[in-house]
Amino acid sequence: MSLKMKDLSLQTKESKSTILYYVKEGLLPQPSKPKPNVHLYDESCIQIIKFIKYLQHNFSYSIAEIKNLFKENHFDFDGSFEMMVRSLELISGGKENQWYSKQDFLKLVTMDEKKLKAYQKKGYLFERAKGFSSKEVEIAEILERASDLGLDFALLDAYVEHAKELAEKENGIGAALLKEDEESHNARYELLFDLILTLKPYIFNMHTVQAHKKNISKASK
C-alpha cells in the first residue's frame, strides 16, 4: 500500500516539511512517482517515522545519531515482534556505543577470559553480534568493583532469575499483542517500548526507594 504525503502526514502527525527532511537525509526511502506531481510513499514510512520520533523524544537522539544507527543496522519495519526486539537490543546499548572485539574488550576492562566466561554463564554479561559495546564495558567495571568489595552475588543471581521470568512473559505478551489488529500496530509498538524501557525500570527503582525508606524509618524508631 502506498500513501500520498497528506495521508502520511495525518497518520504520523508529522509535518510535510519534516517528512521531506527525513527523505533528504536518507531516513525515509524516496517516494515513487507514477505520474507528474504524484509522490507515493511506502507504508513502512509510518513505522520509520514513529521510530524516529520515539528515539528523539525518549532517548534524545539527534538526527545525526539516528542516521548513524540506521546506517550501521538493518531494520525491517514490518511491524513484527522480531523488529521490536532488535530495536530494543540496540537502544539498550546506548546511543553512542563503541564496539570492541573480545580481545580488545578484555584488555580494556583488564579481565581474563575465564572470568568473562563465568560472568556470561551466570547471565551478567553478553557478547552481541558486533562484539562488546561500551555498555558491556560499563557493566564489566561494575562487576569488578562488586567483586573487589565482596558483594554477595546472590543479589545478581536474583536479578538474572527474575529477568528471565519477566522476559518470558514479555515475549509472550508482546508477540500476541502485535499479532492483533494491524491498524493499531503503531500504538502497540509504542506501548511495548514504554512498558519495557520506561515503566519496568520505574517500578523496580521506586520499589527499591520505598524499601529503603521503610528501613530508614524502622532504624530511626
Side-chain angles (χ1 to χ4, degrees):
M1 179 180 172
S2 298
L3 302 166
K4 292 182 179 179
M5 171 63 80
K6 180 181 178 181
D7 297 323
L8 181 58
S9 181
L10 283 172
Q11 291 199 42
T12 60
K13 297 180 181 178
E14 197 60 270
S15 67
K16 176 182 177 180
S17 60
T18 298
I19 292 172
L20 291 174
Y21 173 66
Y22 289 162
V23 173
K24 177 176 175 290
E25 292 296 311
L27 294 173
L28 291 177
Q30 291 286 340
S32 60
K33 302 173 184 178
K35 298 179 183 179
N37 299 321
V38 176
H39 293 186
L40 297 177
Y41 294 83
D42 189 83
E43 192 176 16
S44 65
C45 291
I46 297 173
Q47 289 284 19
I48 298 172
I49 292 171
K50 289 279 189 179
F51 190 46
I52 291 170
K53 290 169 72 174
Y54 192 90
L55 292 173
Q56 288 178 318
H57 296 164
N58 292 277
F59 300 97
S60 302
Y61 271 69
S62 68
I63 291 298
E65 288 167 336
I66 295 172
K67 283 178 66 176
N68 188 54
L69 185 69
F70 281 20
K71 181 180 178 181
E72 292 185 355
N73 302 277
H74 172 70
F75 291 96
D76 183 10
F77 290 93
D78 60 358
S80 69
F81 184 64
E82 288 73 18
M83 181 268 172
M84 194 207 78
V85 171
R86 173 70 174 139
S87 305
L88 280 171
E89 181 183 16
L90 292 167
I91 295 171
S92 66
K95 64 181 180 179
E96 296 175 351
N97 255 349
Q98 173 133 11
W99 292 92
Y100 306 92
S101 66
K102 181 187 288 186
Q103 291 72 25
D104 290 338
F105 172 76
L106 290 172
K107 287 180 183 177
L108 186 61
V109 298
T110 59
M111 182 186 295
D112 60 48
E113 191 166 355
K114 183 179 179 181
K115 182 175 281 189
L116 172 61
K117 287 182 177 179
Y119 284 153
Q120 289 177 309
K121 186 176 180 180
K122 282 283 193 176
Y124 304 156
L125 264 177
F126 295 86
E127 182 175 7
R128 311 201 216 185
K130 294 172 67 176
F132 295 87
S133 74
S134 48
K135 175 57 70 174
E136 276 73 50
V137 172
E138 179 185 6
I139 298 303
E141 289 173 348
I142 293 172
L143 289 169
E144 290 296 81
R145 280 164 39 214
S147 179
D148 291 343
L149 293 174
L151 176 77
D152 184 352
F153 272 52
L155 174 64
L156 304 189
D157 294 335
Y159 286 164
V160 172
E161 180 183 353
H162 290 297
K164 288 179 178 179
E165 182 181 344
L166 284 173
E168 286 297 321
K169 291 182 179 179
E170 288 168 349
N171 280 327
I173 291 171
L177 192 64
L178 290 178
K179 282 181 180 177
E180 297 178 14
D181 185 10
E182 291 188 3
E183 292 184 3
S184 61
H185 245 127
N186 290 332
R188 294 167 188 274
Y189 244 113
E190 290 174 12
L191 174 60
L192 284 170
F193 272 104
D194 286 336
L195 285 172
I196 295 169
L197 293 173
T198 304
L199 184 60
K200 179 171 66 174
Y202 170 79
I203 290 175
F204 272 63
N205 291 333
M206 289 310 298
H207 275 283
T208 298
V209 170
Q210 293 302 312
H212 282 300
K213 283 183 177 179
K214 286 180 181 178
N215 289 333
I216 292 170
S217 178
K218 288 179 183 178
S220 63
K221 290 179 180 179

